[in-house]
Amino acid sequence: MVLSAAAHAAQPPAWPSQETRAEQQARIALWPGDGLAPGDRPLADAQRVFERSRDPVVPDRYVDRVGRPYLVVQRPAHPNGAALLVIPGGGYARIVLDKEGTALAPAFAGRGGITLFVLRYRLPGEGHADGADAPLADAQRALRVIRAQARQWGLDPHRIGVMGFSAGGHLAASLATRYGDALHAPVDAIDRASARPDFQLLVYPVIDMAGPDAHAGSRRQLLGDAPAPERAMAYSPQRHVDARTPPAFLVHAQDDDVVPVQNSLSMYDALRAADVPVEMHLFPRGGHGFGVRGTNGLTAEAWPTLALAWIDTQREVSP
């Protein structure tokens, strides 16, 4: 189960950690040259990783101060040709690495045969030149990198999806609806590849930035303390859905007291209105941030199996 706010407050503070040797060896830089995004500048402070868990069997790390964004590849033993750009959450203040990253490997890579590319993206509140668009620019570039290099990974370039959690779900939905936005001038041939995901999976996603169900923390990190209503609406993905938006799979718990379930419902309604194929699973219990390891004994435990079955059907509808 997900911890309550009081239980979170009682947890020990995070302490310094690091990425594993395997993660370091599996890195793919997003941007050429010095690794900085177009027009960006180096951060004053170095990237850092913190561990929040005291159980070495159940790590719970997060990373921040990402100045040079990159992917970490998790390769299956028996790849099926499909790939997922995985975008973990963290309220746009940090990026969790394990519960919505490494913990996905047994189900999605091991059982599903899907190659996972987990994104370490720039955080909007850390002084990047492109501000609120920095995460989306990284997500667009990540999808293009995967697609441009699909053959060398043994992937079908038309079976590349995105899966995002919480604030990472907002970023995934933004990619699925704003994949064509020109956020910078092309830097190389990779930028000529399409950034449109072939399908999207949104797990307890932040969606609305303008209404009463907005996640205040994510909105503050992305847009500042008091964004103008029109700016908040411009960063609400449900308002950008159209007939070209990729098919979607939505997962949410009805008792989520961090990101209200109405976020998924709003996205579902927008997808339906645009006649975009969508499958949604609402579970009565699960809270927020359950990932794949916070659902023991709950019906929400079934969501990875349902997601894998849905992904398998997308080969029939992807362009």
Side-chain angles (χ1 to χ4, degrees):
M1 289 293 292
V2 177
L3 295 175
S4 67
H8 272 299
Q11 294 302 297
W15 62 91
S17 183
Q18 60 185 352
E19 289 187 312
T20 67
R21 182 185 297 271
E23 288 170 329
Q24 293 171 4
Q25 293 174 341
R27 287 185 178 189
I28 301 174
L30 289 189
W31 303 101
D34 61 5
L36 292 173
D40 207 3
R41 51 187 174 261
L43 295 181
D45 299 308
Q47 179 173 309
R48 59 184 181 177
V49 177
F50 282 101
E51 174 62 85
R52 296 179 289 189
S53 172
R54 292 193 179 274
D55 183 350
V57 179
V58 188
D60 185 19
R61 299 166 300 159
Y62 71 82
V63 63
D64 62 6
R65 300 177 181 172
V66 177
R68 291 171 168 82
Y70 57 99
L71 296 163
V72 173
V73 186
Q74 298 180 10
R75 303 188 70 179
H78 305 287
N80 68 4
L84 278 171
L85 169 60
V86 177
I87 309 181
Y92 280 126
R94 62 191 62 82
I95 303 155
V96 300
L97 299 184
D98 294 305
K99 68 176 181 177
E100 295 164 0
T102 60
L104 302 174
F108 287 89
R111 184 153 47 93
I114 298 171
T115 303
L116 305 179
F117 296 82
V118 186
L119 181 61
R120 274 64 158 156
Y121 52 96
R122 290 174 296 152
L123 296 165
E126 294 187 333
H128 297 286
D130 37 2
D133 285 331
L136 180 57
D138 291 344
Q140 288 180 342
R141 177 70 180 188
L143 205 292
R144 288 178 172 128
V145 166
I146 298 167
R147 179 161 284 134
Q149 301 176 0
R151 299 301 183 191
Q152 75 182 57
W153 292 102
L155 302 174
D156 181 343
H158 299 300
R159 295 185 65 206
I160 300 172
V162 63
M163 178 163 64
F165 298 80
S166 194
H170 179 270
L171 182 48
S174 298
L175 176 63
T177 53
R178 297 178 56 199
Y179 54 86
D181 285 13
L183 302 180
H184 61 84
V187 298
D188 55 20
I190 288 174
D191 275 341
R192 291 198 292 268
S194 172
R196 179 186 182 273
D198 293 299
F199 49 90
Q200 57 176 318
L201 296 93
L202 309 178
V203 186
Y204 41 83
V206 173
I207 295 294
D208 194 13
M209 286 283 166
D213 295 302
H215 181 243
S218 295
R219 180 173 58 195
R220 185 182 311 111
Q221 291 294 327
L222 190 69
L223 301 175
D225 290 333
E230 59 271 19
R231 180 166 168 79
M233 289 188 288
Y235 284 85
S236 298
Q238 82 276 18
R239 297 178 180 272
H240 299 283
V241 171
D242 61 23
R244 283 285 297 159
T245 300
F249 181 93
L250 302 173
V251 175
H252 221 119
Q254 293 174 346
D255 66 349
D256 190 332
D257 61 359
V258 177
V259 176
V261 70
Q262 185 60 43
N263 282 265
S264 283
L265 292 171
S266 295
M267 191 65 176
Y268 177 83
D269 287 344
L271 292 161
R272 283 283 310 278
D275 202 26
V276 175
V278 55
E279 180 172 324
M280 181 166 64
H281 295 274
L282 302 182
F283 297 98
R285 296 173 58 207
H288 187 73
F290 48 79
V292 294
R293 65 188 190 191
T295 56
N296 289 345
L298 301 178
T299 53
E301 191 172 12
W303 85 261
T305 299
L306 296 167
L308 287 170
W310 180 83
I311 291 170
D312 195 52
T313 68
Q314 297 313 297
R315 69 182 74 213
E316 302 168 5
V317 298
S318 296

